Amino acid sequence: MIKQRYQQIKAAEGGALLSLVAYFCIAILKLLVSFYAHSEALRADGLNNFTDLISSITVLIGLQISRKPSDQEHHYGHWKSENIASLVTSLIMIMVGLQVCINALINIFQNETSMPDPWAGLAGLVSAGIMVLVYEFNRRLARKVHSTALLAAAKDNLSDVWTSLGTAVAVIAAALKIPWLDNGAALVIGGLILKTAWDIFRDSSFSLSDGFDEKKLVQYQQAVAQIPFVRGVKKIRGRSYGDNIFLEVVVLMDPDLTVRRSHAVTEQIEHLLQNKYNIFDVDVHVEPTVN
C-alpha cells in the first residue's frame, strides 16, 4: 500500500506542475495587458494568479517531501507535508487578498477610477477558459489519487475561473461608461481570494491539529462491531497524515479465546478497514471482557 501511495502522490505532482505553468502564463498575460489597458481589476486578478504560482510551487514541494520514506525522526513518514503546503498556500493567499481589498478601497474612497480598454476583458475570458481546463484536470486527478493538497489547488483553480469571469464583466461594464465598477470588481476579487484562503486554512489546520471527523469514527466503529468474536469497541481514535488515515482501535473479546484466534480477528479488522474504507494503517489492541 505504501508503494501505491507514493505512486499516487507522484501523479499528483503532475497536476501541481500543470497549475504552475498555467498560472505563470496567465499571470504574465494579465499583468502586461492590465498595464496597457489601464484595468485595476485585471491587475488585481493578475496578482492573484502570481500568488497562485507561488502556491503551486509550495504544493509541489510539499508533495515531493511527503514521498520521503519514514526515518528515525519521522516514524509515521512525511505525509503531513501535504497539509503544511496547503496551510502555507492559504497564508500567502490571505496576504494578497488583503492587499487587493485595501488597494481597491483606497481607490474607491479617493474616487480614483479608470476607463479600461476592452482588451482587458478579453484577457479575462481567455484566462477563465484556461483555468476551467486546469480545474477539471486537477479535480479528477485529486479524487483519483486521494490528494488533499491537489484538491486544495483545484479549489484555487475554480476560484480563479470566477474571478477571471468577474474581471471580464467589470472591464466590459467600465468600457460602457461605468468606470467605478472596475474597482468594485477588484474588491469582490479580493473577497473571493480571502474566502478560498480561509477554506483551505480551516481544512489544513484541522488536520495538522489531529482533528478527525466524528461521523467517520462512528461508521468505522459500527463496522468493526459486526465482526464475529468482537463483543464491543472500547475505543477508536483516528488521525490524518496528509490523505492517509491512521486508526487506533481497542476491541473487547472473550478472555478464553486463544491467542491465534484473537490475532486472526485483529487481522480481519485491519483488512475490513483497509479494503472497505481505504484506511492506510490500523493498530488493533485486544482487551478481555469482564464476565
Side-chain angles (χ1 to χ4, degrees):
M1 178 175 285
I2 294 179
K3 183 177 180 181
Q4 179 184 5
R5 186 62 192 138
Y6 285 153
Q7 292 175 342
Q8 289 176 334
I9 294 177
K10 188 173 182 179
E13 292 176 11
L17 186 60
L18 174 63
S19 292
L20 193 155
V21 174
Y23 281 133
F24 177 79
C25 293
I26 65 176
I28 295 298
L29 171 66
K30 288 178 180 177
L31 291 175
L32 288 176
V33 174
S34 69
F35 177 77
Y36 290 103
H38 307 290
S39 173
E40 184 64 25
L42 190 64
R43 186 190 72 84
D45 204 7
L47 287 175
N48 176 35
N49 294 141
F50 182 72
T51 59
D52 293 326
L53 174 64
I54 299 175
S55 300
S56 296
I57 295 174
T58 303
V59 170
L60 185 60
I61 293 174
L63 289 171
Q64 291 178 341
I65 294 176
S66 67
R67 284 201 292 118
K68 293 177 62 178
S70 59
D71 52 40
Q72 292 183 349
E73 296 180 344
H74 302 84
H75 297 285
Y76 291 95
H78 298 76
W79 306 111
K80 282 201 172 184
S81 298
E82 281 193 78
N83 304 116
I84 295 174
S86 298
L87 183 66
V88 172
T89 297
S90 68
L91 295 176
I92 294 173
M93 292 175 65
I94 287 173
M95 289 188 293
V96 173
L98 289 173
Q99 180 183 359
V100 170
C101 288
I102 291 172
N103 290 339
L105 287 172
I106 290 174
N107 289 336
I108 290 173
F109 285 113
Q110 292 181 349
N111 199 28
E112 293 184 6
T113 58
S114 60
M115 297 294 292
D117 190 280
W119 282 105
L122 180 60
L125 291 175
V126 171
S127 299
I130 293 174
M131 293 316 302
V132 165
L133 298 177
V134 176
Y135 162 71
E136 279 297 325
F137 178 86
N138 283 339
R139 181 182 65 84
R140 294 181 182 180
L141 181 59
R143 290 183 176 180
K144 180 179 179 181
V145 302
H146 307 288
S147 174
T148 300
L150 187 59
L151 186 59
K155 291 179 180 179
D156 193 23
N157 297 152
L158 182 60
S159 71
D160 291 319
V161 173
W162 294 116
T163 53
S164 294
L165 288 175
T167 299
V169 172
V171 168
I172 294 172
L176 296 175
K177 311 302 181 182
I178 316 177
W180 57 268
L181 193 55
D182 191 44
N183 286 323
L187 187 61
V188 173
I189 289 169
L192 288 174
I193 296 172
L194 291 174
K195 173 61 170 58
T196 304
W198 169 249
D199 290 341
I200 296 173
F201 176 84
R202 180 189 57 199
D203 293 341
S204 57
S205 60
F206 182 75
S207 179
L208 287 171
S209 60
D210 284 339
F212 202 85
D213 189 346
E214 186 67 25
K215 293 181 181 179
K216 289 184 178 180
L217 288 179
V218 172
Q219 187 179 21
Y220 303 152
Q221 182 176 352
Q222 291 174 346
V224 172
Q226 299 299 318
I227 294 179
F229 298 103
V230 174
R231 291 188 172 180
V233 180
K234 182 178 180 180
K235 183 188 298 183
I236 182 168
R237 296 188 298 183
R239 62 177 64 181
S240 299
Y241 288 83
D243 288 284
N244 307 310
I245 297 176
F246 288 71
L247 287 183
E248 298 175 12
V249 185
V250 179
V251 294
L252 300 175
M253 294 188 194
D254 188 333
D256 295 326
L257 285 178
T258 64
V259 174
R260 184 186 300 274
R261 169 59 67 183
S262 298
H263 179 69
V265 175
T266 62
E267 288 191 331
Q268 187 176 356
I269 294 172
E270 292 175 1
H271 292 156
L272 169 70
L273 293 172
Q274 290 174 348
N275 296 330
K276 185 175 182 179
Y277 299 103
N278 198 35
I279 306 300
F280 185 79
D281 187 65
V282 184
D283 183 15
V284 183
H285 178 70
V286 178
E287 289 188 6
T289 56
V290 178
N291 294 324

